[in-house]
Amino acid sequence: MMSSLVRPGGFSPYFQATKHGAKSLLFPGAAERLPALGEAEVRLSFVTCLSPAPAATRLAHTDIKIPDFSDYRRPEVLDPNKSSQESSEARRAFSYLLTGATTVVGVYAAKTVVTQFVSSMSASADVLAMSKIEIKLGDIPEGKNMTFKWRGKPLFVRHRTEREIAAEEAVNLAELRDPQHDKDRAVNPKWVIVLGVCTHLGCVPISNAGDFGGYYCPCHGSHYDASGRIRKGPAPLNLEVPYYEFPDDDTVVVG
């Protein structure tokens, strides 16, 4: 440092640049006096300008106002001299209550949306009207079978004789491939109502045919008895029994 003060020749270019670059930052009137200043005076002036600024000088944006969030705060925590722990239980209870109420409303709204969506995909009134069929049983002679169309499928309604009823009720369930008692398939023993669709490959069996006098599928040789139970052939299951009810002794409603 001493050598640089005694022999400033090596730093002369830097001092010249300092004089021209900082002439407007030193003090008023420095621009006129700067050419006449010596190198030592320039160094002293430059060090002076780098010293801390006076307290009156604004070094930051101190005029920015701090936002006031009092309108968004709860009254219990507005007082800075009051501990917030005194009202923590009440505030926590309110938060739990608000969260629970919001959850209940959200679940109810979701349930309503799902219900409406599922209802929109359900069958319309005209389709539901076609889903049921009413059959007059007096038109079917005893010992005969009649075929109706229901939901695009053949429906067999058989008026059984007393002999057929007794024979089907006496069948040993251990001999059946798909064990099912005759009383479980016929609400009224006189009437057997089944879908005319073979459980093997969906063919339509022939009524009053086969080795057991019930139904016979000529396509692959499945034999059903007068209760619609599979007795012989490749079919794995009995003929399906749809839901039906008897409003009176002479009428049956299927579906």
Side-chain angles (χ1 to χ4, degrees):
M1 175 62 75
M2 293 299 297
S3 61
S4 63
L5 293 176
V6 175
R7 293 180 300 172
F11 296 93
S12 179
Y14 301 99
F15 291 148
Q16 294 296 329
T18 303
K19 288 194 296 181
H20 294 286
K23 62 181 179 180
S24 61
L25 301 176
L26 298 179
F27 45 81
E32 292 78 6
R33 296 172 53 197
L34 190 59
L37 294 176
E39 293 176 351
E41 295 180 16
V42 170
R43 288 199 301 272
L44 179 61
S45 300
F46 186 69
V47 172
T48 303
C49 79
L50 295 180
S51 62
T57 304
R58 180 170 63 84
L59 300 179
H61 296 285
T62 56
D63 57 341
I64 299 178
K65 295 182 179 180
I66 300 176
D68 184 10
F69 298 99
S70 300
D71 295 338
Y72 304 96
R73 301 175 64 187
R74 296 181 179 178
E76 297 87 350
V77 295
L78 287 177
D79 189 357
N81 299 321
K82 185 178 179 182
S83 176
S84 61
Q85 297 298 325
E86 299 177 1
S87 61
S88 61
E89 294 295 333
R91 290 185 285 110
R92 188 179 296 112
F94 175 79
S95 299
Y96 290 161
L97 179 62
L98 182 60
T99 303
T102 304
T103 302
V104 171
V105 173
V107 170
Y108 181 78
K111 173 183 173 295
T112 302
V113 172
V114 172
T115 302
Q116 294 294 332
F117 178 73
V118 173
S119 299
S120 65
M121 297 188 295
S122 61
S124 58
D126 56 341
V127 174
L128 292 176
M130 297 176 60
S131 65
K132 293 186 177 182
I133 181 174
E134 182 176 316
I135 301 173
K136 294 298 182 180
L137 300 177
D139 299 335
I140 305 175
E142 187 177 8
K144 299 296 182 180
N145 181 91
M146 292 190 66
T147 305
F148 301 88
K149 184 178 181 180
W150 177 68
R151 296 184 180 179
K153 299 178 181 179
L155 179 70
F156 293 163
V157 180
R158 185 185 188 94
H159 189 178
R160 297 193 298 183
T161 62
E162 293 295 335
R163 181 180 177 181
E164 289 176 333
I165 296 174
E168 301 306 331
E169 290 181 351
V171 172
N172 184 8
L173 298 183
E175 300 176 357
L176 301 177
R177 182 179 304 168
D178 185 10
Q180 198 171 17
H181 199 278
D182 182 70
K183 294 181 179 180
D184 297 332
R185 296 179 57 82
V187 178
N188 187 337
K190 292 184 178 181
W191 303 97
V192 170
I193 302 174
V194 295
L195 292 180
V197 179
C198 181
T199 58
H200 179 219
L201 292 176
C203 305
V204 179
I206 301 173
S207 61
N208 297 321
D211 296 347
F212 300 89
Y215 304 94
Y216 171 68
C217 180
C219 298
H220 303 92
S222 296
H223 298 259
Y224 301 87
D225 59 19
S227 185
R229 297 173 294 192
I230 182 63
R231 303 294 294 275
K232 181 180 178 182
L237 302 173
N238 303 329
L239 294 180
E240 181 181 353
V241 178
Y243 173 79
Y244 61 90
E245 57 185 2
F246 295 92
D248 52 61
D249 294 339
D250 193 45
T251 306
V252 62
V253 177
V254 182

